[in-house]
């Protein structure tokens, strides 16, 4: 693979798909041109000049991400290795091609409506385009604001789709609790260090000396540091930690009434500067987005976790002969059969590219992937 | 309504649990760790061993065992039986004395602590005044004489521990009567020895550290004789006729003195047995008469300091025969068993307790051979590296094993075991169980694990197949002085660590044994009744097969003997496979029906056909980034020195086995608080941090094969079963290979082939520690040949099979043949514990004979035992079992097929535990009060009257609480009763106190 990359030099191979049609082309990595140029290029290649389209690309971790401005276009080009897979959908198409990464049951397919204000043709000259929350890969969120005390914070860290390390350390410590008998010192688990550039640090939701109260809905009191470590590592693909922040000044205020559920969401865009605006807690996105204002409880979370967990990769070799034929088969044949099978990785990559459409529809790693090849014998 | 129904179901489930599961630690097998004291009762014929952790263990006839634990965590320094009684006294390191009694309850004896006592000196006296150094249990059975560091002798009435102050023998009294010319007059030092005249019980010899021996009349309370030895005293012995006193000294000499009325300052005889050059002290000396002729003289120590100062020797001299028995570890104590009851006949056996084993020498047979011990066998004669349990051995194999084992026992004495106290009332074990332990020196020991005694059956050595540096050591030349003779089997020094046994698999039906070791060697052995000489040809299997860029930096392969090797009767190897690179074998399985052996290392796994002696399959499981596995153990970043130091520290830490202590609640709470405070303070100083990081595939050793499993199940379609091999790795991957076996008649000619069938990558990537295929009824598939021998119900091959994959973090059930996840149970994500050991057991119900259930038994890194239901993977019960700090204990655990298990509590002891209500192996024995003695009716002394019932009720309550794991109605009743009894006795006490006031 690496040898190939060297040979290709600065060329980006593009494989774009519109409905059932594929197109392949390439352009130079160092002069990709702008987003609009690329947009019209695709329209030309697919001969769909009059159609309003949405662009998406599959990044190296398998997520489908949108291309709708210069920033994420550059990102997409950077991520090409050297193949860049582009998926083109009609704007009117429903359901939307960009599934929400959260894969909530019942919310799995979010609807991306044709929104005039975001239409590329009409608005692209009016200042900077603001991407919608769904267009980014969510890496963390504050959840359950409505059911937790104000002093606590429940943070979900999504490991999926980032190459950043989770990046934090925990230690034993002493916590002060108010009990009927007065103030009491009890042992607790605290965050002792955040790794620079790690996921935990980049969210800004976890801080030094925050006390850890729960891990994925399970109380950590009475558990040893090693036990808590194991629990966190075992849940690392979808870690939900409830903390009591050491710094209580940035707490989410309930704004008086229960009905207005404030949920602040923090997004990362793989290093691009796009989402800076979103960190503003009063931004309309956090209020207007019913999907991310999650009211899921701990139980709900574990349900979802179950889904995540079932993504064990199962490779079944269905080319195996049936017992009757096996008896009769000569050993030569068997040998050649197994030889082709030993070339595991190559087969797998091939399979992936073939089954690309379903791959996206099932939002990738969501389900156990069963790769089957047609019967070699019958 | 709904609620009610659910409640009903729950209570039924609880009842079911009660019928099936019950946790008990039943017996400790092996040799007690760090023994510190030995005692023997000739009248009861029981021996007692005290340890540094405060346990006291009593042993009699095989199967008769008692264990007691002192509440104080202090070493037992002395054990003394009260003559002709069922009581014994222990002295602990903290200067406390404890009275233990063997009480019979409902036909079974129990060891109970019935009293404790600490000497109190006059106010202001230094602690040395009351620090006990010597104890004499007087033959009257009523007195205990306690010699102290200050030189005083206190007399205490037993069993009530009442100080008889008026009879104490103070140092001043003795000093007054010492002759003027005795040089050590000013300072006699501590009481070193206390001894009773075997003929006149009122005479007691008091030996002082400086050398003076005073014979004192305890009735008249006056000194009779002073014996003025000049050397530092080590021990004193009174000959049986009462005529002589023997004293041994720190310069390696011993003296014989005439005992009589006149003071003596000239010894009658003096000798330094290994003299000329300076010698070490003789720490104990015994002289025993024989009916005809010269007496036996036995003493420990006294070796020439410079040349043999490091030997641990006991010298036995009898009738011109002089032997220095050379032990491999430090001598704790020894005693001699004599012919008839009451200690008067000829010496029959010498019993020596050394630090690592108990050695019994037959003194009646010529050559003084060793008697094989039926218990207290040192499991750790070479360090244990692995263990394997096989339940329900067929009689044929069992008899063969016993017969071959007997051939190995020819060097032992034919005399029966001389310690015969007590009666073993336990029923014969329901089945024959075998425990196999693999050792560092390449041996495999076979133990009879069916009953209370872990009895050695047979020992297999694999070292003979290989060239090793060690040649058999030539024995000492003729005429060597001192005349050493090596005794004991404790030999912790391995010739070559590569010989170490890592995995064992025994097929009980066919008698095939597979043994795998540290240097990637796999031996397949077969039981043969006769000696045979043949060459074992090695087959080298390259697990990397052309993988480039990897270099093994670990140890080399073992060199195989090229000449024919003579194998004694027993298990004889007929096939040897050597892996390349020669990494430690981490997984092994043998299928005797298909005649296949599968093995795995950190690099991959292989399948070998031992009938055709050909390799069927090699699969490399390495991840290219797995550098660590490639380079072998020697290239680790950590220096060897450092890791050695660390492992020593770890061993030392694990040796300090903390045992449970019953402390009253308030003090416990305070202590816990103090400990917490201290711990927290410590934490503040140096916080321990743990990194939270998701597992990634490039973690080292992902390719390490953890488990290999054979099964005949639905792999390709749901109508035909196919033989298959399953392998689970450290990286959470399961590889499945389909095997094509030729029909039986062409089995020897046609090759076996294996094709990859499936590959499962667990997304949580935790190491796979177990793979089980369940049949249509949810029952695990039987072992190979089990059905053929009519010992198991044939599996349900009609219904759909399920696959259970046990990773360190989760239990997952998949459907077959299409692998779809069905059910799972998460462990680590919920409570942070990881699976360390697993086994499948069958649990029989305690109520109905025919009801039972299969369950998955799991030991976690927290030391908890879990039982998980099959096939539903629901957690049924959880019992705390091992301290989580005891890593070696957790790693050593093995499960039996019937809900029992073993783990090492020290390098030399297995603890047996049981999770089942039906299968329980525990000592049941009775010790009767000796006939010849009338048990003295206790004179109604007040302290005894008041303390005893309380003690009793308390201990009874404690016992009941321990058994009250299940809140059974009956048990509750019992608790209530005992509590009431307690109250009554308290009431009585207070009434009595009132009267006294």
């Amino acid at each position: 693979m690496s040898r190939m990359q060297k040979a290709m030099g600065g060329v980006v191979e593009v494989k774009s798909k519109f409905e059932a049609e594929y197109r392949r082309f390439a352009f130079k990595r160092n002069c990709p041109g702008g987003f609009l140029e690329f947009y019209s290029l695709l329209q030309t290649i697919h001969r769909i000049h009059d159609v309003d389209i949405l662009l998406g690309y599959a990044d190296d971790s398998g997520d489908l991400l949108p291309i709708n401005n210069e920033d994420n276009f550059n990102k997409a080009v950077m991520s090409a290795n050297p193949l860049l897979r582009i998926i083109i959908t009609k704007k009117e198409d429903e359901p939307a091609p960009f599934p929400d990464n959260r894969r909530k049951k019942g919310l799995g397919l979010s609807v991306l409506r044709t929104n005039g204000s975001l239409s590329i043709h009409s608005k692209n000259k009016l200042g900077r385009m603001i991407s919608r929350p769904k267009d980014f890969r969510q890496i963390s969120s504050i959840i359950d604001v409505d059911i937790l005390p104000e002093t606590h914070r429940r943070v979900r860290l999504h490991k999926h789709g980032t190459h950043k390390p989770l990046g934090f350390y925990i230690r034993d410590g002493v916590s002060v609790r108010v009990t009927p008998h007065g103030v009491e010192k009890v042992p607790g688990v605290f965050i002792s260090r955040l790794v620079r550039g790690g996921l935990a640090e980049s969210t800004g939701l976890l801080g030094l000396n925050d006390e850890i109260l729960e891990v994925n809905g399970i109380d950590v009191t009475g558990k040893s540091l090693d036990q808590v470590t194991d629990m966190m590592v075992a849940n690392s693909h979808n870690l939900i930690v409830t903390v009591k922040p050491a710094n209580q000044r940035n707490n989410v205020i309930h704004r008086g009434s229960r009905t207005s559920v404030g949920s602040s969401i923090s997004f990362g865009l793989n290093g691009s500067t796009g989402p800076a605006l979103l960190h503003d807690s009063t931004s309309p996105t956090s209020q207007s987005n019913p999907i991310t204002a999650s009211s899921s409880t701990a139980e709900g979370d574990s349900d979802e976790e179950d889904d995540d967990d079932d993504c064990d990769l199962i490779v079944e070799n269905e080319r195996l002969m049936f017992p009757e034929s096996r008896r009769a088969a000569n050993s030569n044949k068997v040998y050649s059969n197994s030889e082709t099978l030993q070339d595991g990785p190559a087969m797998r990559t091939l399979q992936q590219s073939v089954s690309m459409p379903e791959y996206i529809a099932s939002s990738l790693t969501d389900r156990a992937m069963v790769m089957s090849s047609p019967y070699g014998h019958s | 309504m709904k609620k009610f129904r659910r409640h009903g179901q729950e209570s039924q489930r609880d009842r079911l649990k009660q019928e099936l599961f019950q946790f008990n630690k039943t017996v400790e097998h092996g040799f007690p760790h760090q023994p510190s004291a030995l005692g023997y009762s000739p009248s009861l014929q029981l021996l007692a061993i005290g340890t540094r952790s405060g346990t006291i263990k009593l042993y009699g006839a095989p199967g008769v065992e008692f264990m007691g634990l002192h509440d104080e965590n202090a070493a037992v320094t002395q054990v003394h039986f009260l003559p002709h009684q069922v009581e014994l006294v222990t002295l602990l390191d903290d200067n406390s004395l404890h009275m233990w009694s063997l009480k019979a309850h409902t036909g079974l004896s129990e060891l109970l602590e019935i009293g404790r006592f600490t000497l109190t000196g006059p106010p202001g006296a230094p602690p040395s005044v009351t620090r006990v150094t010597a104890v004499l249990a007087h033959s009257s059975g009523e007195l205990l004489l306690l010699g102290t560091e200050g030189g005083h002798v206190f007399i205490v009435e037993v069993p009530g521990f009442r100080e008889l102050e008026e009879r104490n023998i103070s140092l001043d009294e003795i000093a007054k009567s010492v002759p003027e010319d005795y040089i050590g007059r000013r300072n006699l030092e501590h009481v070193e020895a206390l001894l009773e005249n075997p003929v006149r019980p009122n005479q007691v010899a008091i030996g002082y550290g400086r050398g003076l021996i005073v014979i004192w009349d305890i009735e008249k309370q006056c000194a009779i004789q002073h014996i003025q030895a000049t050397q530092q005293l080590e021990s004193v012995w009174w000959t049986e006729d009462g005529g002589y006193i023997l004293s041994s000294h720190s310069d390696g000499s011993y003296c014989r003195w005439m005992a009589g009325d006149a003071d003596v300052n000239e010894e009658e005889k003096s000798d330094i047995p290994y003299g000329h050059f300076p010698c070490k002290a003789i720490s104990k000396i015994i002289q025993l008469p024989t009916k005809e002729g010269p007496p036996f003289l036995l003493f420990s120590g006294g070796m020439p300091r410079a040349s043999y100062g490091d030997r641990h020797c006991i010298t036995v001299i009898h009738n011109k025969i002089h032997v220095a028995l050379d032990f491999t570890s430090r001598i704790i104590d020894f005693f001699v068993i004599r012919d008839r009851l009451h200690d008067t006949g000829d010496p029959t056996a010498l019993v020596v307790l050394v630090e690592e084993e108990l050695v019994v020498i037959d003194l009646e047979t010529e050559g003084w051979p060793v008697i094989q011990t039926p218990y207290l066998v040192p499991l750790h004669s070479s360090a244990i590296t692995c263990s394997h349990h096989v339940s329900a051995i067929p009689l044929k194999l069992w008899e063969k094993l016993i017969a071959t084992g007997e051939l190995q026992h020819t060097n032992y004495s034919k005399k029966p075991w001389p310690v015969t106290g007590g009666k073993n009332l336990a029923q014969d074990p329901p089945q024959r169980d075998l425990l196999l332990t693999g050792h560092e020196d390449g041996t495999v020991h076979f133990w009879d694990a069916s009953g209370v005694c872990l009895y050695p059956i047979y020992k297999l050595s694999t070292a003979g197949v290989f060239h090793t540096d060690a040649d058999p050591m030539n024995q000492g030349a003729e005429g060597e002085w001192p005349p050493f003779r090596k005794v004991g089997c404790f030999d912790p020094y391995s010739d070559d660590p590569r010989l170490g046994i890592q995995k064992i698999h025994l097929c009980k039906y066919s008698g095939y044994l597979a043994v795998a070791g540290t240097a990637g060697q796999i031996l397949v052995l077969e039981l043969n009744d006769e000696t045979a000489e043949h060459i074992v040809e090695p087959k080298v299997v390259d697990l990397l097969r052309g993988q480039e860029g990897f270099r093994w930096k670990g140890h080399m392969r073992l060199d195989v003997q090229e000449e024919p090797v003579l194998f004694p009767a027993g298990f004889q190897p007929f096939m040897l496979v050597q892996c390349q690179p020669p990494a430690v074998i981490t997984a092994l399985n043998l299928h005797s029906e298909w005649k296949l052996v599968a093995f795995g290392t950190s690099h991959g796994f292989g399948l070998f056909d031992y009938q055709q002696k050909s390799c069927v399959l090699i699969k490399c499981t390495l991840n290219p980034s797995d550098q660590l596995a490639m380079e072998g153990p020697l290239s680790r970043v950590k220096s060897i020195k450092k890791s050695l130091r660390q492992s020593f520290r770890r061993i030392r830490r694990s040796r300090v086995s903390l045992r449970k202590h019953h402390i009253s609640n308030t003090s416990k709470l305070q202590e816990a608080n103090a400990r917490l405070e201290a711990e927290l303070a410590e934490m503040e100083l140096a916080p321990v941090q743990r990194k939270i990081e998701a597992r990634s595939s490039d973690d080292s050793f992902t390719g390490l094969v953890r488990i290999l499993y054979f099964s005949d199940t639905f792999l390709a379609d749901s109508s035909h079963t196919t033989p298959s091999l399953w392998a689970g790795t450290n990286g959470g991957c399961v590889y499945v290979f389909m095997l094509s076996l030729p029909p039986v008649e062409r089995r020897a000619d046609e090759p076996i082939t294996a094709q990859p069938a499936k590959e499962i990558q667990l997304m949580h990537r935790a190491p796979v520690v177990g793979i089980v295929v369940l049949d249509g009824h949810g029952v695990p598939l039987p072992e190979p040949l089990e059905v053929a021998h009519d010992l198991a119900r044939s599996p349900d091959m009609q219904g759909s099979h399920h696959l259970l994959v046990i990773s360190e973090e989760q239990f997952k059930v998949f459907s077959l043949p299409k692998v779809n996840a069905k059910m799972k149970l998460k462990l680590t994500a919920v409570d942070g514990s990881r699976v360390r050991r697993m086994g499948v057991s069958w649990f029989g119900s305690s109520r109905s004979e025919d009801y039972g259930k299969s369950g998955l038994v799991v030991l976690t890194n927290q030391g908890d035992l879990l039982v998980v239901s099959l096939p539903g993977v629901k957690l049924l019960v959880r019992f705390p079992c091992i301290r989580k700090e005891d890593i070696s204990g957790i790693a050593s655990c093995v499960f039996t097929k019937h809900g029992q298990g073993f783990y090492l509590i020290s390098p030399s002891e297995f603890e047996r535990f049981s999770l089942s209500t039906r299968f329980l192996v525990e000592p049941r024995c009775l010790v009767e009060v000796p006939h010849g003695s009338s048990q003295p009716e206790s004179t109604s002394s007040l302290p005894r009257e008041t303390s005893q019932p309380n003690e009793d009720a308390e201990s009874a309550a404690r016992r009941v609480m321990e058994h009250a794991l299940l809140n059974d109605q009956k048990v509750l009743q019992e608790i209530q009763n005992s509590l009431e009894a307690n109250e009554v006795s308290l009431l009585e006490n207070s009434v009595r106190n009132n009267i006294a006031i």
Side-chain angles (χ1 to χ4, degrees), chain B residues 756-776:
Chain B
K758 290 175 203 296
E759 194 180 318
I760 304 166
Q761 172 65 58
L762 297 178
M763 218 49 195
H764 63 283
R765 289 189 188 281
V768 177
V769 293
I771 298 168
V772 180
V773 174
L774 308 170
D775 75 0

Side-chain angles (χ1 to χ4, degrees), chain B residues 97-100 112-117 159-161 947-948 951:
Chain B
L97 287 154
H98 301 256
M99 179 69 70
W100 296 81
L112 281 180
E113 191 181 350
I114 59 167
R116 62 184 66 184
F117 173 71
F161 283 128
S947 70
Q948 195 117 347
E951 282 278 350

Side-chain angles (χ1 to χ4, degrees), chain A residues 166-170 192 224 226-227 229-231 235 305 309 311-313 315-317 320 324 326, chain B residues 689-690 692-693 720 722 755-759 761 763 810 812 819 824 826 828-829 832 834 862 884:
Chain A
L166 279 173
F168 64 103
Y169 288 76
I170 58 171
S192 62
S224 71
D226 287 328
Q227 279 178 309
T229 309
D230 282 346
M231 286 162 71
N235 285 310
E305 223 180 300
D309 245 14
C311 46
D312 300 330
L313 188 73
V315 182
E316 302 219 20
N317 181 5
L320 288 169
E324 301 90 60
R326 186 163 31 95
Chain B
Q689 291 190 33
R690 292 285 183 275
I692 306 297
E693 207 47 87
H720 301 92
T722 29
Q755 313 161 52
K758 290 175 203 296
E759 194 180 318
Q761 172 65 58
M763 218 49 195
Q810 295 183 7
K812 249 181 148 160
V819 179
K824 76 173 160 209
K826 288 179 163 191
T828 315
R834 287 164 177 280
Q862 308 291 326
K884 69 171 177 185

Side-chain angles (χ1 to χ4, degrees), chain B residues 648-756:
Chain B
F648 271 116
R649 270 185 204 144
R650 199 169 52 230
I651 290 165
R652 211 174 300 151
R653 228 176 296 136
S654 70
R655 275 187 179 170
V656 185
S657 57
L658 287 169
R659 313 226 187 204
K660 255 191 230 159
H661 288 281
H662 311 281
I663 312 166
S664 63
N665 259 345
T666 49
S667 70
K668 201 192 272 172
L669 206 70
Q670 277 171 1
E671 196 182 284
N673 267 334
R675 207 184 322 127
L676 192 69
E677 204 99 342
E679 268 174 20
L680 290 179
E682 210 172 307
M683 270 168 213
E684 294 305 301
L685 287 175
V688 184
Q689 291 190 33
R690 292 285 183 275
K691 193 178 186 186
I692 306 297
E693 207 47 87
R695 262 181 310 272
S696 58
S697 55
D698 48 52
D699 268 349
S700 54
F701 284 117
T702 49
L704 191 140
V705 179
R706 292 286 292 264
I707 175 90
L708 288 161
Y709 179 75
F710 286 109
S711 83
D712 187 15
T713 186
F714 302 102
L715 213 56
D717 60 285
S718 48
S719 50
H720 301 92
T721 64
T722 29
S724 54
L725 170 69
W726 304 67
T729 71
N730 232 11
C733 200
V734 177
Y735 298 96
V736 192
F737 282 81
M738 199 151 133
L739 309 175
S740 64
L741 300 167
V744 186
E745 59 274 15
R746 274 174 290 159
R747 173 67 181 81
D749 318 312
E750 273 184 33
I752 294 178
T753 54
Q755 313 161 52

